[in-house]
Amino acid sequence: MGNMVTEFILIGFSNLGDLQILLFCIFLLVYLSTLMANATIMTAIRLEKALHTPMYFFLFVLSCSETCYTLVIVPKMLTNLLSTVPTISFSGCAAQLYFFVGLACTNCFLIAVMGYDRYVAICNPLNYILIVSRATCIQLVLASSFCGFLISVVVNILVFSVPFCDSNRINHFFCDISPVIKLGCTDTNLKEMVIFFLSILVLLVPSVLIFISYVFIISTILKISSVEGQRKAFATCASHLTVVIVHYGCASFIYLRPTSLYSSDEDRLVAVTYTVITPLLNPLVYTLRNKEVNMVLRKVLSRYSFPKTLLS
């Protein structure tokens, strides 16, 4: 039985009528802010030698990955908000799902790697440079990307080997796993179980490892005698923990449950959070909470003679 569907209709926001224009303006504003915030952080890390450390190398890669991740979802979503029939071709849908899942998994692994970096920096500071060397950093990033996209290949094969013959209307604003696989006209329970197992691997395993590392981190911080030392250690961890909670929290809500519990309206709201808002949150959290990055940004901005009003 072959695929009879050549294109899909993304009915995500089509029931909102005139509100779509307002959504378009809001999402465009958030999207441009995301691109600008991530570009700023990446430029600051690239230009400032003081930030050429493993922690900021991982943040640079995460910002880059988050930017690509939004490019996969948001531009298409914005054009669909303005079109009368928001369609996406079969191959376009497969490509979108492939890059979305690949980059999302990579981000999950990168955030776990950043947790490992914080763990070594605080719990084993004397050997930090030896353990988290430049070569190790590159290997960890490559391993995160390789695993992320390998999982994405498996997911894509599972989703798009399903014959689509009943409907081509995806009840979402992009090609996500559950809304697409639900359109299949054969039994997909086994495939959904495999995808669920992969979700546990991507979301639950790293978050448990991060949780364990933070138990060690906090117990080490509490042993620091100076209050200033404790405050500085907590500050670098707070940024990472905020990103961990929001990133893993939203994704777990969607992917760590059976497809039968899929509620399109509720899930669309959460999906907006992790596709549009979370990528903006990362650079904001790291710049607002981090004095080091703040100082560097001011330095970089003043060096390139921006108007003084921007720096005040």
Side-chain angles (χ1 to χ4, degrees):
M1 205 173 185
N3 289 310
M4 296 174 192
V5 172
T6 54
E7 67 171 16
F8 294 102
I9 298 166
L10 294 159
I11 58 170
F13 299 114
S14 52
N15 60 335
L16 296 175
D18 291 343
L19 267 179
Q20 287 184 85
I21 304 293
L22 178 66
L23 278 183
F24 173 84
C25 297
I26 294 166
F27 291 158
L28 180 64
L29 197 67
V30 174
Y31 181 53
L32 293 174
S33 306
T34 303
L35 293 180
M36 217 170 87
N38 279 303
T40 306
I41 259 206
M42 286 158 71
T43 308
I45 293 169
R46 184 80 191 86
L47 294 176
E48 184 52 51
K49 279 196 161 57
L51 298 185
H52 290 185
T53 63
M55 176 178 151
Y56 292 109
F57 170 71
F58 293 132
L59 181 58
F60 181 92
V61 176
L62 183 67
S63 288
C64 185
S65 182
E66 288 276 18
T67 304
C68 296
Y69 168 84
T70 57
L71 282 168
V72 173
I73 306 293
V74 184
K76 181 66 184 165
M77 180 179 81
L78 290 171
T79 54
N80 281 350
L81 278 167
L82 296 181
S83 61
T84 43
V85 184
T87 58
I88 188 167
S89 67
F90 186 88
S91 56
C93 189
Q96 189 181 54
L97 187 75
Y98 170 71
F99 285 107
F100 167 70
V101 174
L103 289 162
C105 293
T106 300
N107 292 346
C108 279
F109 296 140
L110 278 174
I111 291 167
V113 164
M114 289 168 86
Y116 170 69
D117 169 69
R118 288 300 80 216
Y119 165 72
V120 178
I122 290 165
C123 299
N124 199 350
L126 299 177
N127 296 320
Y128 178 66
I129 294 165
L130 283 172
I131 299 168
V132 192
S133 64
R134 186 173 174 79
T136 307
C137 290
I138 293 164
Q139 283 163 6
L140 286 168
V141 166
L142 290 175
S144 297
S145 304
F146 178 76
C147 293
F149 280 93
L150 185 66
I151 287 166
S152 187
V153 168
V154 175
V155 169
N156 245 39
I157 291 167
L158 289 169
V159 171
F160 289 99
S161 59
V162 174
F164 302 101
C165 36
D166 294 342
S167 169
N168 68 336
R169 295 169 69 82
I170 298 173
N171 197 4
H172 208 0
F173 59 86
F174 71 98
C175 291
D176 202 356
I177 301 166
S178 282
V180 175
I181 210 166
K182 278 177 84 174
L183 299 180
C185 49
T186 55
D187 182 37
T188 57
N189 283 341
L190 185 63
K191 291 181 178 190
E192 284 174 40
M193 265 176 65
V194 175
I195 291 167
F196 184 69
F197 172 73
L198 290 172
S199 302
I200 289 173
L201 194 71
V202 173
L203 293 166
L204 221 55
V205 175
S207 44
V208 167
L209 291 173
I210 291 168
F211 175 75
I212 293 166
S213 71
Y214 267 100
V215 170
F216 288 109
I217 286 171
I218 291 163
S219 67
T220 306
I221 290 173
L222 294 174
K223 287 174 195 164
I224 298 172
S225 51
S226 76
V227 177
E228 180 57 27
Q230 282 190 354
R231 196 201 56 75
K232 199 178 175 189
F234 268 124
T236 59
C237 293
S239 307
H240 180 251
L241 256 182
T242 309
V243 171
V244 166
I245 292 161
V246 175
H247 193 95
Y248 286 107
C250 287
S252 299
F253 177 82
I254 299 282
Y255 301 105
L256 292 183
R257 61 185 181 160
T259 312
S260 54
L261 296 176
Y262 180 80
S263 140
S264 53
D265 294 336
E266 212 173 82
D267 289 4
R268 248 174 311 192
L269 195 64
V270 179
V272 165
T273 307
Y274 68 76
T275 54
V276 182
I277 297 158
T278 309
L280 176 61
L281 179 87
N282 290 353
L284 287 185
V285 161
Y286 273 97
T287 48
L288 294 174
R289 294 196 62 94
N290 198 311
K291 278 186 180 174
E292 222 173 1
V293 178
N294 259 320
M295 280 165 62
V296 168
L297 284 177
R298 284 166 182 265
K299 208 164 109 183
V300 169
L301 288 172
S302 58
R303 194 188 300 163
Y304 292 93
S305 64
F306 274 71
K308 287 281 181 278
T309 48
L310 284 176
L311 306 173
S312 56

